[in-house]
Amino acid sequence: MSKDQNNASFAYSVSLLRLLLGMRLISKEEYEKIIRISADHYDVENIYV
């Protein structure tokens, strides 16, 4: 995948995680852990969430 696709995929996953967090289906700790895992998976260098 290209860098742009990776960045877009990461941004989309963060958006969905925020939705789940807002619905209280995941905890803040789970949210932060999944963000780090997703960032590693998509080779994200800077995380601004």
Side-chain angles (χ1 to χ4, degrees):
M1 289 177 98
S2 74
K3 191 68 168 172
D4 289 338
Q5 287 175 319
N6 280 345
N7 289 339
S9 296
F10 177 70
Y12 183 73
S13 69
V14 169
S15 176
L16 290 177
L17 287 170
R18 284 183 182 161
L19 179 65
L20 293 173
L21 184 62
M23 296 171 69
R24 296 180 185 232
L25 295 174
I26 60 174
S27 68
K28 183 73 171 171
E29 293 80 22
E30 291 169 322
Y31 170 79
E32 291 171 357
K33 183 176 181 179
I34 296 169
I35 292 240
R36 286 192 303 271
I37 292 169
S38 294
D40 288 340
H41 178 74
Y42 291 115
D43 295 324
V44 175
E45 295 172 2
N46 299 318
I47 304 173
Y48 301 106
V49 292

